[in-house]
Amino acid sequence: MKKIVQGGSLFFLLLISSLAWSQNKTVTGRIIGENGIGVSKASVLVQGTRIGVTTNERGEFTISVPSSATILVISSVGYGTVEEPINGRTAIEITLKPGVQEMQEVVVTALGLKREEKALGYAVQKVSGESLQRVAGLDVATSLTGKVAGVLVRNSPDFAAVPLVTVRGENALLVIDGIAYQNKTLTDISAEDIESVSVLKGATASALYGFRGANGAILITTKNGSSNKAGVTIDYTTNTMFTAGFLAIPEKQAVYGRGGSGIYALNSDQSWGPKMDGSMQNQWDPVSKTFTVRPYLPVGKDNFKNFLEQGYVTNNNLNIGYQKDKISLRNSFNWTENKGRYPNSKLQKYTYSFGADLNYDKFKMSTNLSYAKKASKNIGSNGYTSYDPMYSILIWSPTDWDLSLYKNNYWIKPGEIQNNHFGLVPGGTIDNYAGVNQNNPYFDRYEKTNEISRDIFNADLTMSYQLTTWLKATLRSGVDFYKETGQLRSSWGSYLSSGNTGVPGADYSGWNGGRKGQYNIGVSNGFSNNTDFMLTGDRKFNKFTVEYLAGGTIFYRRDDNMNASTQGGISVPGFFSIKASINPAQVSQSTYAQQVNSVFGRAAVSWNKMVYVDITGRNDWSSTQQKEQRSQFYPSVGASFIVSELLPQTKSWLDLLKLRGSWTLSKRPASIYEINSSYSISPATWGTLNGAGVPSNLVDPTIIYSGAETIEQGLQAMFLKNRLSLDVSHYTKRVFDRLLMLL
């Protein structure tokens, strides 16, 4: 009897299992994006149940669904939610489309971590690469103008001048693909290579970067081919912009000529002389190169307008990509040319970039490299103290001479004596010149030049491995090399010096040169290396989610500068070399190096997607401090509260309402040599003998880091499916232990 009962029990269990099996079926499938690439970690949920799975690295999933199930709900960060009917199928492929709201909620934060924007306790703003590429100009920084609150882009009207970008009034750290390069700048990047830009505002947002991120950070993510469609893709874009003129050009008065008190003075640069009424005056004829008596008229009232030329910016980009399965490749070539309004003003920029991604289950590897070159034969000497031609034409000359007659005609004796409107007595030399120290504007543009050249190469490699479901290891390293050269040339016959125009390694050239010409050269080259190792992960406990990070960084930089200038002019006309210096040349050389070792960590806790708390800490050891003072700790705390989660009835029009707050303590180590006492060496101080000068400041070598405490509060709101947003911040920054040099 006992055996019969056991047999009946076994039969009953098999029957129940068979019935259960008949009520469920297995559905397999793949979730892909619009580019055909699998979407990993997408959620696949049976509608109306708690049955769900997530996709693997290739976007594949397998799920057991009840026979009564009719719809699968698929969602993923950055994509719109899809409700896919099953319709009896056992194999399904679903394409996700980017969702406007979801895409804007995910931003890149410090150390390249992607996080939901609502979880952040500090201000971050994202700009898509597409918005920077609509009208690509000469510089990416210019394209950022007006797109990010708190970011000021100062676009100089000077030719080839690099825009100055500040975040909340301070210089921010530039991070490209997770690497905080020392030498790479926004001007070295093509807008066509940018996927997105995230601006971390304030020290809390960038606390994990230590002292280098004390003023915030600009994070750039470049394209690497993973967003391309499967197979080979080729894209070519080009755009050209022409200058349309000025709203107003300063007008020169065309009534009174050169001189003062109504009296004509041939060698005067003032315009208070007699009326230019057609009376006969002795004037310089630039064609015959002699003085002649002829009617005195305002023939040069449009000199500045006629001096300007048509300007333009042309931007051309070729992109070749390849994507298949687990491999993505991208090559990009960019050529940009800028023609300025002054004669002989052209700037060329060339950029080549390469990106590759390899995704293989738990292992991922990505690499990027780029080479950028910027060069110009003459960017000019801008500003009042560098003798911009605008000043000589509009301020320091009358309108009684026609500048167009001096075009391609700026020599009296080629290579030695220039032709300007003050003229020169027959048979005279540069020593007989009696006019004012001003150059023919065309002489300035072709014989008094400021040549620049900048080359920079950078490369990075990132490798990560998913050790477990709750822990990932990442190793990332990047390096950049640069060389920057500047050459100031003034031919014989120049009546102006170099002004305060500088060269690399010497921002100030010291008004060098004159009638015997001059030559200055500056060369700066160096490199930086930044290597990070990180362990990251997250765990969920009911309504709580815990995120954690631990790692370390080694940062090293070195810069070598050398500059030299002729003294007393150049010995041979047209021979621009330090060897041609008439007197002993001035030569200067310097080397700067720094290493910073760091460890850092982060812990974040969230509850029910409503309350978020984020704590970070970083410790730096900088080689620029004494050993006893090298160790410094930077803590930060941030929190946010999602008020909109308590207002479900507002979901139709209120997407997000968040209150946030943060606190951080940042430190700044002494700059290279800032607390070191050293002698300055001056060549040829007494004849051929060199001299040395004592330091102008003495600093206590045990001085500690200067610090700053920042407290920030803010409110963020999004309405009508993100069509309208509001972000308000208030922050207080207190600087203490600041190192000041008293002269």
Side-chain angles (χ1 to χ4, degrees):
M1 185 67 179
K2 187 176 181 180
K3 292 183 179 179
I4 294 175
V5 173
Q6 288 179 339
S9 299
L10 178 60
F11 173 78
F12 181 74
L13 290 173
L14 289 174
L15 177 62
I16 295 298
S17 299
S18 177
L19 290 173
W21 179 261
S22 65
Q23 292 176 352
N24 291 274
K25 63 179 178 181
T26 300
V27 176
T28 61
R30 187 166 184 252
I31 310 301
I32 61 174
E34 288 185 324
N35 55 9
I37 302 173
V39 178
S40 63
K41 296 185 178 180
S43 172
V44 182
L45 183 69
V46 178
Q47 191 179 60
T49 74
R50 294 186 177 181
I51 302 172
V53 296
T54 57
T55 59
N56 62 17
E57 296 293 333
R58 295 181 292 277
E60 300 167 343
F61 70 91
T62 300
I63 187 172
S64 178
V65 302
S67 59
S68 60
T70 59
I71 293 176
L72 294 179
V73 180
I74 297 92
S75 61
S76 180
V77 174
Y79 295 92
T81 300
V82 173
E83 295 184 358
E84 182 73 13
I86 299 176
N87 293 334
R89 294 175 294 173
T90 57
I92 300 176
E93 183 174 271
I94 301 167
T95 301
L96 298 184
K97 295 182 179 180
V100 175
Q101 178 179 345
E102 288 84 353
M103 284 294 286
Q104 293 181 351
E105 287 182 347
V106 179
V107 294
V108 178
T109 62
L111 299 177
L113 302 176
K114 292 184 178 181
R115 301 180 61 197
E116 287 186 290
E117 188 174 358
K118 69 179 183 180
L120 305 178
Y122 44 81
V124 176
Q125 193 167 342
K126 181 180 177 181
V127 179
S128 68
E130 182 179 328
S131 66
L132 303 176
Q133 297 151 14
R134 287 172 186 157
V135 183
L138 180 66
D139 200 290
V140 171
T142 301
S143 300
L144 278 174
T145 303
K147 289 185 169 62
V148 181
V151 173
L152 177 63
V153 182
R154 299 178 183 176
N155 295 293
S156 172
D158 292 337
F159 177 71
V162 177
L164 178 63
V165 181
T166 58
V167 178
R168 293 181 173 178
E170 298 178 298
N171 295 325
L173 176 68
L174 179 64
V175 181
I176 304 172
D177 294 321
I179 304 296
Y181 291 109
Q182 175 67 27
N183 306 304
K184 193 85 170 177
T185 65
L186 284 172
T187 194
D188 301 318
I189 307 170
S190 167
E192 295 291 336
D193 292 334
I194 295 178
E195 183 74 33
S196 65
V197 178
S198 292
V199 180
L200 309 184
K201 305 174 187 179
T204 305
S206 51
L208 285 173
Y209 289 115
F211 78 92
R212 299 180 67 200
N215 300 326
I218 299 175
L219 312 184
I220 293 180
T221 302
T222 63
K223 299 176 181 177
N224 55 18
S226 60
S227 59
N228 292 339
K229 295 182 179 179
V232 177
T233 58
I234 300 177
D235 296 302
Y236 176 72
T237 59
T238 180
N239 67 74
T240 301
M241 297 183 293
F242 294 93
T243 53
F246 299 97
L247 295 177
I249 294 180
E251 293 185 13
K252 288 278 291 182
Q253 65 88 12
V255 177
Y256 299 96
R258 67 183 64 201
S261 301
I263 301 174
Y264 180 77
L266 178 64
N267 292 319
S268 173
D269 60 359
Q270 311 231 348
S271 299
W272 304 100
K275 288 186 176 181
M276 292 178 285
D277 54 5
S279 58
M280 305 302 288
Q281 296 287 359
N282 186 32
Q283 304 170 66
W284 176 255
D285 181 358
V287 178
S288 65
K289 297 180 175 58
T290 59
F291 288 103
T292 61
V293 177
R294 60 184 188 275
Y296 194 48
L297 298 168
V299 294
K301 63 179 180 179
D302 293 324
N303 275 347
F304 185 66
K305 180 179 179 180
N306 296 334
F307 182 67
L308 301 177
E309 299 180 347
Q310 177 66 58
Y312 62 82
V313 175
T314 181
N315 200 307
N316 306 272
N317 192 86
L318 175 64
N319 169 42
I320 302 175
Y322 173 79
Q323 198 282 321
K324 184 178 180 181
D325 297 331
K326 304 168 185 176
I327 299 176
S328 302
L329 304 173
R330 182 179 185 273
N331 290 271
S332 176
F333 307 85
N334 183 270
W335 167 60
T336 302
E337 181 177 271
N338 178 207
K339 170 66 178 73
R341 299 299 308 271
Y342 284 175
N344 193 29
S345 58
K346 274 189 179 181
L347 177 70
Q348 307 277 354
K349 293 177 66 176
Y350 305 92
T351 304
Y352 168 73
S353 63
F354 170 81
D357 267 4
L358 173 64
N359 294 326
Y360 189 81
D361 295 331
K362 297 181 179 181
F363 176 75
K364 291 184 178 181
M365 182 175 69
S366 65
T367 184
N368 300 276
L369 62 86
S370 71
Y371 167 75
K373 182 177 182 64
K374 180 173 72 172
S376 175
K377 291 294 183 182
N378 183 28
I379 64 171
S381 298
N382 302 314
Y384 181 78
T385 51
S386 286
Y387 309 115
D388 189 301
M390 179 188 301
Y391 290 97
S392 63
I393 297 174
L394 293 177
I395 298 178
W396 298 113
S397 67
T399 57
D400 59 1
W401 59 290
D402 186 356
L403 178 57
S404 63
L405 298 177
Y406 292 81
K407 186 177 183 179
N408 302 319
N409 181 32
Y410 49 78
W411 287 116
I412 295 177
K413 182 179 180 181
E416 294 188 32
I417 305 175
Q418 72 162 293
N419 183 16
N420 72 2
H421 64 93
F422 294 106
L424 193 67
V425 295
T429 67
I430 53 177
D431 296 325
N432 300 129
Y433 176 75
V436 177
N437 286 335
Q438 290 182 16
N439 283 342
N440 176 337
Y442 286 104
F443 179 96
D444 261 341
R445 295 306 304 170
Y446 291 96
E447 301 298 330
K448 182 174 172 286
T449 61
N450 181 7
E451 181 178 349
I452 64 166
S453 176
R454 173 179 168 85
D455 299 82
I456 185 165
F457 170 84
N458 71 278
D460 69 74
L461 176 66
T462 302
M463 296 182 292
S464 65
Y465 187 81
Q466 194 73 42
L467 300 172
T468 68
T469 56
W470 50 270
L471 188 64
K472 181 172 73 172
T474 302
L475 178 64
R476 178 172 56 209
S477 185
V479 63
D480 64 0
F481 299 89
Y482 80 96
K483 180 179 181 181
E484 195 164 358
T485 303
Q487 299 178 78
L488 299 176
R489 299 181 178 93
S490 293
S491 294
W492 273 36
S494 175
Y495 298 123
L496 293 174
S497 71
S498 61
N500 67 349
T501 304
V503 293
D507 296 332
Y508 168 73
S509 62
W511 274 269
N512 189 26
R515 301 185 184 187
K516 287 286 187 177
Q518 65 90 28
Y519 178 65
N520 284 23
I521 182 172
V523 179
S524 293
N525 59 78
F527 72 95
S528 73
N529 175 255
N530 196 98
T531 301
D532 301 322
F533 176 74
M534 298 182 293
L535 294 172
T536 59
D538 62 81
R539 298 294 298 270
K540 293 184 178 180
F541 305 95
N542 296 323
K543 293 184 178 182
F544 287 93
T545 300
V546 180
E547 299 177 4
Y548 38 85
L549 174 150
T553 296
I554 298 177
F555 168 72
Y556 180 79
R557 59 170 290 199
R558 178 186 171 107
D559 299 278
D560 295 286
N561 307 296
M562 184 179 69
N563 59 85
S565 61
T566 58
Q567 300 296 304
I570 53 178
S571 56
V572 180
F575 180 41
F576 297 103
S577 171
I578 297 301
K579 293 181 179 180
S581 181
I582 294 176
N583 299 325
Q586 290 275 2
V587 181
S588 177
Q589 187 173 11
S590 62
T591 297
Y592 295 85
Q594 180 184 22
Q595 179 168 327
V596 181
N597 299 332
S598 311
V599 293
F600 50 81
R602 169 181 173 264
V605 179
S606 64
W607 177 78
N608 204 26
K609 295 186 177 180
M610 184 186 302
V611 180
Y612 298 85
V613 178
D614 197 336
I615 301 173
T616 71
R618 176 172 173 133
N619 205 95
D620 283 350
W621 291 265
S622 174
S623 63
T624 58
Q625 298 280 161
Q626 291 292 318
K627 289 184 178 180
E628 297 78 9
Q629 309 297 334
R630 286 180 180 172
S631 176
Q632 288 293 328
F633 181 66
Y634 318 93
S636 78
V637 178
S640 64
F641 176 60
I642 314 303
V643 181
S644 53
E645 291 293 326
L646 300 176
L647 306 171
Q649 68 275 15
T650 63
K651 290 291 185 182
S652 60
W653 57 272
L654 179 61
D655 304 311
L656 176 69
L657 179 59
K658 180 180 77 171
L659 299 176
R660 65 170 183 261
S662 64
W663 169 88
T664 188
L665 184 65
S666 60
K667 298 291 186 71
R668 186 189 74 84
S671 302
I672 301 174
Y673 301 136
E674 189 175 11
I675 62 174
N676 298 105
S677 300
S678 59
Y679 289 92
S680 59
I681 306 299
S682 302
T685 303
W686 296 281
T688 58
L689 299 177
N690 297 336
V694 298
S696 56
N697 294 287
L698 296 176
V699 181
D700 183 354
T702 63
I703 196 167
I704 62 174
Y705 286 44
S706 61
E709 180 185 41
T710 304
I711 301 174
E712 179 177 342
Q713 309 88 33
L715 178 147
Q716 184 179 13
M718 297 181 181
F719 308 91
L720 305 174
K721 304 299 182 184
N722 253 8
R723 292 183 176 90
L724 179 65
S725 63
L726 174 69
D727 196 322
V728 180
S729 296
H730 173 268
Y731 67 94
T732 302
K733 185 172 185 177
R734 180 179 66 90
V735 179
F736 56 92
D737 293 334
R738 189 173 182 180
L739 180 60
L740 297 175
M741 296 296 180
L742 302 178
L743 301 179

